[in-house]
Amino acid sequence: MDARADLLALCERGLDWFPGPDAPTTRVPGLAMPDPSELRPAAVLVLFGVLDRVPARPADAAATVVPRDLDVLLLRRAATLGTHAGQIAFPGGRLEASDGGAVDAALREAREETGVETGGVEPLGELPPMPVPLSRHLVTPVPAWWTHESRVAAVDHDESVDVFRVPVAELLAPANRAMTVLRRDGFVHRSPAFTVGERLVWGVTALILSRMFDELGWAEPWDAGREVVPPARELSR
């Protein structure tokens, strides 16, 4: 397979984040989906790359659709942030007046948060914006390809506390797929999640990855009846 070509094609055709009435969504119990015009524009960098020959751990990654050395860049948000505190996320943030658009904002935020050298990052396009009611943002994912490796680390610990690359094959392994189930005020909210080692990827980040994997044709069959509960510290905001 050619992962970069797959991602380019996905950017060209786009996707529907909420494809059916029974699909898991990012809707927070008790909150109506707002009008997108009322949300603040933001962007995240979904950075894939084949930068080394270290394969995904065979015990955790049964998936064979993607190369074992393909990975994606993620970070853990600081526990002191006002929303999505402590959660694993993509680099990203709000668009600023100086940004030329979602791609510029995603690259700028990635550089500020992780130190990645953006000259070695090839943006492949944009996916349709996703409304996120909790933080009241309209988030545009920017898939990108890492052409030249550079050192990454948490730059501002008020924003993020850890930066790491996760093999895509580990995310796709059926044993590492699950659903988060949140029960609040009589509502039940189900959404995709990934459990890789001691890390839980859930919420908006997991939904973006899950929908992308489905549309790319990379996903393996998995048990949607497996349920996990996010740590309490990630549910406080």
Side-chain angles (χ1 to χ4, degrees):
M1 66 168 290
D2 186 335
R4 178 182 170 279
D6 287 351
L7 290 162
L8 273 170
L10 179 62
C11 290
E12 290 177 359
R13 67 177 181 269
L15 79 168
D16 184 350
W17 295 115
F18 312 116
D22 297 324
T25 75
T26 57
R27 290 177 174 83
V28 175
L31 285 182
M33 188 63 73
D35 184 332
S37 65
E38 300 174 355
L39 303 180
R40 297 166 291 191
V44 295
L45 190 71
V46 189
L47 180 56
F48 293 91
V50 177
L51 301 175
D52 54 39
R53 295 297 169 186
V54 179
R57 296 190 299 274
D60 295 337
T64 59
V65 174
V66 301
R68 289 293 180 89
D69 49 0
L70 177 69
D71 58 42
V72 63
L73 183 68
L74 297 172
L75 56 80
R76 184 177 295 281
R77 291 167 57 83
T80 53
L81 291 173
T83 56
H84 309 298
Q87 295 181 17
I88 291 175
F90 301 114
R94 294 182 195 173
L95 269 68
E96 296 184 355
S98 58
D99 294 323
V103 171
D104 283 355
L107 291 172
R108 173 184 54 76
E109 288 283 349
R111 182 176 60 252
E112 293 175 357
E113 292 180 340
T114 73
V116 66
E117 295 178 6
T118 53
V121 173
E122 177 192 8
L124 301 178
E126 300 178 13
L127 294 178
M130 174 191 289
V132 183
L134 180 62
S135 59
R136 301 202 61 80
H137 284 104
L138 188 64
V139 178
T140 298
V142 178
W145 193 255
W146 211 343
T147 58
H148 300 289
E149 183 176 9
S150 57
R151 180 179 178 275
V152 291
V155 175
D156 182 353
H157 282 249
D158 290 334
E159 294 284 341
S160 56
V161 294
D162 192 17
V163 177
F164 46 90
R165 290 156 46 190
V166 178
V168 173
E170 290 190 19
L171 292 169
L172 292 172
N176 293 340
R177 303 293 304 268
M179 297 289 288
T180 53
V181 181
L182 305 180
R183 295 175 172 84
R184 291 175 176 169
D185 303 325
F187 291 86
V188 178
H189 171 63
R190 293 172 56 83
S191 190
F194 302 85
T195 58
V196 181
E198 297 182 354
R199 292 177 172 135
L200 174 64
V201 184
W202 67 288
V204 175
T205 303
L207 179 58
I208 290 173
L209 286 172
S210 182
R211 288 292 300 126
M212 287 183 66
F213 292 157
D214 286 345
E215 292 294 324
L216 288 162
W218 295 358
E220 299 282 324
W222 58 283
D223 180 11
R226 180 187 175 220
E227 299 182 357
V228 294
V229 178
R233 64 181 179 274
E234 296 181 23
L235 294 172
S236 59
R237 296 178 176 85

